[in-house]
Amino acid sequence: MILQLEDKGRSLVARLNGEIDLQVADALRTALDRAMGEKGTRNLVLNLSSVSLIDSSGLGVILGRYRRLLQNGGRVGLVGPGPTVKRVLELSGLLRIMREYASEGEALAGLEPGDGNGGRGDDR
Amino acid sequence: MILQLEDKGRSLVARLNGEIDLQVADALRTALDRAMGEKGTRNLVLNLSSVSLIDSSGLGVILGRYRRLLQNGGRVGLVGPGPTVKRVLELSGLLRIMREYASEGEALAGLEPGDGNGGRGDDR
Amino acid sequence: MTDSGRLTAAPSATKALNEMTISLLSQPVNLGLARVAVAAFFSQLDLVLSELEEIKVAVSEAVSNAILHGYGRQPDRWIEVSAAVYPDWLEIAVEDRGYGFSGDDQAAGGDGEEEGGMGFALMRSFMDEVVLVSAPGQGTRVVMRKKVRGAVAPGKPIAGNC
Amino acid sequence: MTDSGRLTAAPSATKALNEMTISLLSQPVNLGLARVAVAAFFSQLDLVLSELEEIKVAVSEAVSNAILHGYGRQPDRWIEVSAAVYPDWLEIAVEDRGYGFSGDDQAAGGDGEEEGGMGFALMRSFMDEVVLVSAPGQGTRVVMRKKVRGAVAPGKPIAGNC
Ligand SMILES: Nc1ncnc2c1ncn2[C@@H]1O[C@H](COP(=O)(O)OP(=O)(O)O)[C@@H](O)[C@H]1O
Ligand SMILES: Nc1ncnc2c1ncn2[C@@H]1O[C@H](COP(=O)(O)OP(=O)(O)O)[C@@H](O)[C@H]1O
């Protein structure tokens, strides 16, 4: 797994790569939590377009970050999952609590509407 | 393995693909022999640029075709082997009895000099 | 486990057209190996990419369970992953000799901070039948079966990249 | 076979950092599986592509020999391919329970219309040590060892494509 992080104001964009399973879950969790802690991240955008496989260990990492951010009113947006990754997200119910966006840009705009109004704008 | 055959006068160009091992050796041998028989092939140009692996079963097929053609004064030219395929060809001694060419065109020109003089021109 | 018409975890009575078993140590680094080996084995069938991807997820879940729940993360225990091709279906079995569990544990579902019994849910979604045999202290065997459209004609070479 | 400093075909005294065994049927269609499984397993090491390709050729030769010479093309016999990572080297063993052969056969080399004992020559070229244990009627075990530059630090995930 290669993880690329980019800070975008109050949102963090994380581009994941490869197979997100038990082998990489701990490292992914640690890397995300560290970056989110340092930057005071409110919302997380996960770009999954280069993820070839995700299993429940990977889902667990996403769900954990979602719960963490939710405590401060933040949210998680998902971008670009391939068909099978999307099926896994659907079956697990993650797509009922997190929204999928067509691009990183749309995710950032949707999660942080008005760019700095506190992220309380809705994106239904 | 996918095999693509192209008739070029008295030479046959065969473009091999994938892993040339015991699993595909019989089919490859049969396909080459049929095409060479039908067309009265004198020289064979084997394009190996899309071959990802060759082992001694694959070498056996090449050597067998070489011996068949040699009986009628024909030869075999090899084109485009990757580094490991080339190592296998070298170690087996095949590159001492067959020549490698930079392209199919050079192989055809080298094997059939003068285009139709009977292929007896040398290509040392 | 012996209802007629239901898959039993015992080997099928029908003879497999092809089969393999891979034994690997209970370490997360070997998850990829389990997935690749199973996918490579089934590449002799004419599966579509999404089917192969779903099979990989199911294998990942079953092997992760063996590592986490079967062996409680002990890294030096063996897990056996076998795969077989039958005329109308394919089968994958994942077996550990670890803690095992009783029906109650299973009903209880996940216990991790962040998980919730998703493993079996995904296995059941991606395969047509999942049968579980487990006994506390003896280990666990998960057998998963997936129907393959039409008759299967093995013989396609197993490709180098899967 | 027991000279000090020479590889014996018995399991190494040093403990493997990681190991696996794959059992497959003696059918050419499974050659690709053997290669892919071994390459996937060693993808946890930092091998360069040419090393992985050479390992694949060596595996191909040993498994082809088991199919052709060990079992005389009987398709329903088992071949075991194991692989292990040690601190300074990697090891591959290919074992069949077939005809076996004596030193004389080996010296005789190939017998096919088109082959000439290339198999062992390639295994020896691509691996650092090749040890053979065979007994007529009992089967054959080929152990191949390759030095890996510097200390090996497994832990890289096993990738999906190899
Ligand atoms: N191989 C196994 N050995 C022991 N217990 C297991 C095994 N596989 C599953 N279980 C039990 O079944 C439960 C449900 O598994 P699963 O659906 O994969 O969800 P999760 O792994 O997230 O808990 C586990 O929490 C565990 O108690
Ligand atoms: N697994 C095996 N079982 C029985 N005999 C074997 C086995 N492997 C190799 N041999 C013997 O060793 C000889 C040399 O093998 P090899 O160098 O691979 O060349 P080739 O396969 O082309 O004959 C074979 O011809 C065979 O007699």
Side-chain angles (χ1 to χ4, degrees):
Chain A
M1 182 204 56
I2 302 158
L3 174 64
Q4 206 215 321
L5 297 169
E6 192 174 341
D7 210 18
K8 295 273 193 182
R10 305 180 68 189
S11 295
L12 178 72
V13 175
R15 300 183 188 102
L16 278 52
N17 198 293
E19 303 182 306
I20 312 299
D21 64 4
L22 184 64
Q23 158 73 7
V24 300
D26 286 347
L28 178 60
R29 182 186 295 108
T30 306
L32 289 175
D33 283 354
R34 179 178 308 142
M36 285 162 46
E38 277 171 9
K39 288 158 185 165
T41 299
R42 182 182 180 84
N43 300 308
L44 180 63
V45 175
L46 291 173
N47 187 332
L48 305 175
S49 57
S50 298
V51 169
S52 53
L53 175 140
I54 192 162
D55 68 8
S56 62
S57 302
L59 295 175
V61 176
I62 299 183
L63 197 56
R65 288 340 98 210
Y66 167 83
R67 289 190 182 142
R68 240 182 90 130
L69 293 174
L70 198 65
Q71 292 173 353
N72 299 312
R75 285 170 297 165
V76 174
L78 305 172
V79 176
T84 305
V85 171
K86 183 156 180 179
R87 277 274 284 155
V88 172
L89 296 171
E90 279 165 358
L91 288 166
S92 66
L94 253 65
L95 280 183
R96 284 198 298 273
I97 57 175
M98 292 166 219
R99 195 165 144 181
E100 187 193 344
Y101 296 90
S103 68
E104 288 181 10
E106 286 189 25
L108 288 166
L111 292 171
E112 202 87 38
D115 196 27
N117 71 353
R120 264 178 281 106
D122 69 8
D123 65 358
R124 266 161 285 146
Chain B
M1 181 205 58
I2 301 159
L3 175 64
Q4 207 214 321
L5 298 169
E6 192 173 342
D7 209 18
K8 295 271 192 185
R10 305 181 67 187
S11 294
L12 178 72
V13 175
R15 301 183 188 102
L16 276 52
N17 198 292
E19 304 182 307
I20 311 299
D21 64 4
L22 185 63
Q23 158 73 7
V24 300
D26 286 347
L28 178 60
R29 182 185 296 110
T30 308
L32 288 175
D33 283 354
R34 180 178 308 142
M36 284 161 47
E38 277 170 10
K39 287 156 186 168
T41 299
R42 182 181 181 85
N43 300 309
L44 179 64
V45 175
L46 291 174
N47 186 332
L48 304 176
S49 57
S50 298
V51 169
S52 52
L53 176 140
I54 192 162
D55 67 8
S56 61
S57 302
L59 295 176
V61 175
I62 299 182
L63 198 55
R65 287 341 97 210
Y66 167 83
R67 289 190 182 143
R68 239 182 90 131
L69 293 175
L70 198 64
Q71 293 172 352
N72 299 312
R75 283 170 299 164
V76 174
L78 305 172
V79 175
T84 306
V85 171
K86 183 155 179 179
R87 276 273 284 156
V88 172
L89 295 171
E90 278 165 359
L91 288 166
S92 66
L94 253 65
L95 280 183
R96 284 198 297 273
I97 56 176
M98 292 167 220
R99 193 165 146 182
E100 186 192 345
Y101 295 90
S103 68
E104 289 181 9
E106 286 189 24
L108 289 166
L111 292 171
E112 201 87 36
D115 195 28
N117 72 351
R120 263 178 282 108
D122 70 6
D123 64 358
R124 265 160 286 147
Chain C
M1 207 53 69
T2 50
D3 301 1
S4 66
R6 296 234 62 202
L7 176 66
T8 68
S12 299
T14 318
K15 211 176 131 39
L17 299 174
N18 195 1
E19 51 188 314
M20 70 106 181
T21 299
I22 182 161
S23 307
L24 33 95
L25 288 172
S26 48
Q27 301 172 8
V29 70
N30 292 327
L31 273 167
L33 174 63
R35 289 192 297 257
V36 169
V38 170
F41 179 72
F42 288 130
S43 74
Q44 66 193 289
L45 305 181
D46 263 325
L47 301 181
V48 298
L49 180 63
S50 64
E51 287 173 313
L52 273 178
E53 289 178 345
E54 291 172 6
I55 288 169
K56 282 186 169 188
V57 173
V59 168
S60 216
E61 297 299 339
V63 176
S64 296
N65 277 351
I67 294 173
L68 292 174
H69 307 303
Y71 292 129
R73 284 190 181 264
Q74 296 168 81
D76 55 353
R77 307 293 303 275
W78 289 99
I79 299 169
E80 281 202 353
V81 180
S82 36
V85 174
Y86 292 92
D88 301 312
W89 74 95
L90 59 82
E91 206 170 284
I92 300 162
V94 176
E95 188 170 329
D96 65 64
R97 305 277 165 115
Y99 297 130
F101 66 115
S102 58
D104 297 346
D105 297 335
Q106 192 196 350
D111 52 6
E113 174 220 348
E114 304 172 335
E115 290 169 291
M118 272 311 303
F120 283 117
L122 287 173
M123 290 182 240
R124 292 210 177 84
S125 299
F126 287 156
M127 305 291 286
D128 291 308
E129 282 185 282
V130 177
V131 174
L132 199 63
V133 182
S134 186
Q138 292 184 41
T140 301
R141 180 175 165 86
V142 182
V143 180
M144 304 183 274
R145 203 183 249 195
K146 196 178 178 82
K147 293 188 203 88
V148 181
R149 306 159 320 288
V152 157
K156 246 184 68 183
I158 289 174
N161 46 345
C162 24
Chain D
M1 205 55 67
T2 50
D3 301 5
S4 65
R6 294 235 61 203
L7 175 67
T8 68
S12 297
T14 318
K15 211 177 131 37
L17 300 174
N18 195 2
E19 50 188 314
M20 71 105 183
T21 299
I22 183 162
S23 307
L24 32 96
L25 288 172
S26 48
Q27 300 172 8
V29 70
N30 292 327
L31 272 167
L33 173 64
R35 290 191 298 256
V36 168
V38 170
F41 179 72
F42 288 129
S43 74
Q44 66 192 289
L45 306 181
D46 263 325
L47 301 180
V48 299
L49 181 64
S50 65
E51 287 173 314
L52 273 178
E53 288 179 346
E54 290 172 6
I55 288 170
K56 282 186 168 189
V57 173
V59 169
S60 217
E61 296 299 339
V63 176
S64 296
N65 277 351
I67 294 173
L68 293 174
H69 307 304
Y71 292 129
R73 285 191 182 261
Q74 297 167 80
D76 56 353
R77 307 293 303 275
W78 289 99
I79 299 169
E80 283 202 352
V81 180
S82 36
V85 175
Y86 292 92
D88 301 312
W89 75 93
L90 59 83
E91 205 169 285
I92 300 162
V94 175
E95 188 170 329
D96 66 65
R97 305 278 165 114
Y99 297 130
F101 66 114
S102 58
D104 296 347
D105 297 334
Q106 192 195 352
D111 51 7
E113 174 219 349
E114 303 171 337
E115 291 167 290
M118 271 312 302
F120 283 116
L122 287 172
M123 290 183 241
R124 292 208 177 87
S125 300
F126 287 155
M127 305 292 286
D128 291 308
E129 283 186 280
V130 177
V131 173
L132 199 63
V133 182
S134 187
Q138 293 184 41
T140 301
R141 179 174 166 87
V142 182
V143 180
M144 304 184 274
R145 202 182 249 194
K146 196 176 178 83
K147 292 189 204 87
V148 180
R149 306 160 320 289
V152 158
K156 245 185 70 183
I158 289 173
N161 47 345
C162 25

